[in-house]
Amino acid sequence: MAHDHSHQHGGGTKNLKIAFFINISFTCLEIVGGFLTNSIAIMSDALHDMGDSLSLGLAWYLENKASRKGTTNRFSFGYARFRLLGALVNALVLIGGSVYIILEAVSRLQNPEAVKSGWMFVLAIIGVAANGYAAWRTKGSTSLNEKVISWHLLEDVLGWVVVLIVSIILQFKGWYFLDPALSIAITLFILYGVGRRLWDTVYLLLQGVPVGLDLEEVKRKLQSVKHVQSIHHTHVWSLDGQNHVLTTHLVLENITAYNQIDEVREMVLEALDKYDFAHHTIQVELNKNTCKMDEG
C-alpha cells in the first residue's frame, strides 16, 4: 500500500536562484575590493563566497530537478534525494574553503599588513545589505539543502557586521592584526555550523530515523490498531530530510472476511496520519510464518 503526499518547492527554488545571482555578483565585487583594501579578511571572504556561489548554483539546480522531475525507471522515488547530494557537496566545498582561509590568515597574522579601512567600511556596508537580502529570501526553508544555504548566508551577514566594526576601529587604530584574526574567527564559526549540517546530511544518507520522529511511538500506533496481532520489519527513513518513508509488516488476527483487511488498512492510515509520511509500504500477513524475510 502506498500513500503519497505532494510537496511544493517552487518558492524555495526561486529563492535559491535569486540568492545565487546576488552572491555571484557580490563575489566579483569582493575580489576587486580585496585588492583595493589589501584585506585578507575580504579576500578570504571573496574566495569563500566563490565557493558559496558554486554551492548555491548547484543547490538551485538540484532543488529544481528534485521538485520538477517525477519518478523514473532509474529513480523510482524521483529526485528528492538529490537535495541531500546538494547539501553534502555544499558542506564539503565550504569546509575545504574554510581550511584554506585559516591557513592564509595564520600566515598574515604572523606578518600583519596595512589595510585600507575606508574601502573596507564601504564593502562591509554592501556585504551586510547583499547577504542580508539573500538570507531573508531563503528564510523559512524546508529542505536540508536549502537550510544549509540559508544557515551560511545568515553567518555571512553576521560576519560582515563584524567586518564593519573592525573597519571602523582600523580608521582610528593601526591594529592590523585584527584583519587576519577576524578572518580566522569568522571561518571557525562557519565550520561549526556547516559541520553540524554535514552530520545531519550524512545521518540521512545512512537512512537514520528522522530527528523528531519516535520510531517506538510509530510501532505502538501500529500495534494498537484493531486486528493487528504483531508487527515486524518496521523501518522509517527520510528521502531528503522532510519527505519520510515507512515500511512495515503487520500480522493480523481474527480476520474472517476480506473486507476486514481493507478496514485495517484504513485504520492504519488514520493512526499514521499525524506523521504525514510521503510514502507508505505496508505488508499485511495472516500468519507470521508466511514472511520470507529474516526478522529485522
Side-chain angles (χ1 to χ4, degrees), residues 9-10 12-21 52-69 74-75 79-87 89-90 143 145-146 149:
H9 299 281
T13 302
K14 181 180 178 181
N15 290 336
L16 286 173
K17 177 182 177 180
I18 293 173
F20 166 72
F21 282 112
D52 288 354
S53 297
L54 295 175
S55 298
L56 275 165
L58 179 62
W60 170 29
Y61 170 76
L62 291 177
E63 193 70 27
N64 186 61
K65 191 177 185 68
S67 60
R68 294 180 181 273
K69 192 91 171 179
R74 295 186 64 188
F75 298 98
Y79 287 76
R81 282 181 76 77
F82 275 56
R83 295 189 182 97
L84 292 184
L85 175 62
V89 172
N90 290 342
S143 75
N145 185 24
E146 293 172 287
I149 297 299

Side-chain angles (χ1 to χ4, degrees), residues 27-265:
T27 297
C28 295
L29 179 62
E30 270 187 299
I31 293 173
V32 175
F35 282 109
L36 287 176
T37 61
N38 192 37
S39 168
I40 184 63
I42 291 178
M43 286 299 294
S44 297
D45 199 78
L47 176 65
H48 200 77
D49 276 351
M50 180 62 74
D52 288 354
S53 297
L54 295 175
S55 298
L56 275 165
L58 179 62
W60 170 29
Y61 170 76
L62 291 177
E63 193 70 27
N64 186 61
K65 191 177 185 68
S67 60
R68 294 180 181 273
K69 192 91 171 179
T71 60
T72 68
N73 290 333
R74 295 186 64 188
F75 298 98
S76 61
F77 273 107
Y79 287 76
R81 282 181 76 77
F82 275 56
R83 295 189 182 97
L84 292 184
L85 175 62
L88 178 64
V89 172
N90 290 342
L92 293 177
V93 167
L94 293 175
I95 289 174
S98 296
V99 171
Y100 178 78
I101 289 170
I102 289 176
L103 293 176
E104 289 296 311
V106 168
S107 176
R108 180 69 74 90
L109 188 61
Q110 296 171 340
N111 300 286
E113 297 181 16
V115 298
K116 297 178 181 178
S117 56
W119 281 107
M120 190 176 181
F121 175 82
V122 173
L123 280 172
I125 293 292
I126 299 174
V128 171
N131 286 281
Y133 180 70
W136 176 75
R137 291 294 311 200
T138 56
K139 182 182 179 181
S141 301
T142 53
S143 75
L144 188 59
N145 185 24
E146 293 172 287
K147 286 179 180 178
V148 170
I149 297 299
S150 181
W151 171 260
H152 191 66
L153 288 172
L154 178 59
E155 289 173 337
D156 280 348
V157 174
L158 298 176
W160 277 109
V161 170
V162 178
V163 171
L164 180 64
I165 295 172
V166 169
S167 70
I168 294 173
I169 294 175
L170 291 180
Q171 292 186 54
F172 300 98
K173 298 286 185 177
W175 297 343
Y176 297 121
F177 66 89
L178 289 177
D179 184 53
L182 172 61
S183 179
I184 293 173
I186 292 173
T187 304
L188 289 176
F189 181 64
I190 289 171
L191 277 174
Y192 170 73
V194 174
R196 290 176 58 191
R197 295 300 182 270
L198 177 60
W199 164 245
D200 291 342
T201 303
V202 172
Y203 178 77
L204 290 175
L205 285 172
L206 294 175
Q207 296 189 329
V209 175
V211 176
L213 197 154
D214 188 342
L215 181 57
E216 290 303 316
E217 181 184 68
V218 172
K219 290 180 178 179
R220 288 194 296 271
K221 290 276 188 180
L222 293 171
Q223 189 71 63
S224 67
V225 174
K226 184 179 179 181
H227 295 300
V228 174
Q229 188 268 323
S230 64
I231 64 174
H232 55 282
H233 295 302
T234 301
H235 308 288
V236 175
W237 54 284
S238 184
L239 285 172
D240 57 3
Q242 64 182 115
N243 294 306
H244 306 328
V245 178
L246 166 76
T247 62
T248 187
H249 290 207
L250 306 180
V251 179
L252 307 185
E253 63 181 356
N254 301 324
I255 297 296
T256 58
Y258 184 81
N259 68 301
Q260 289 180 297
I261 297 178
D262 289 333
E263 292 174 1
V264 171
R265 289 193 180 107

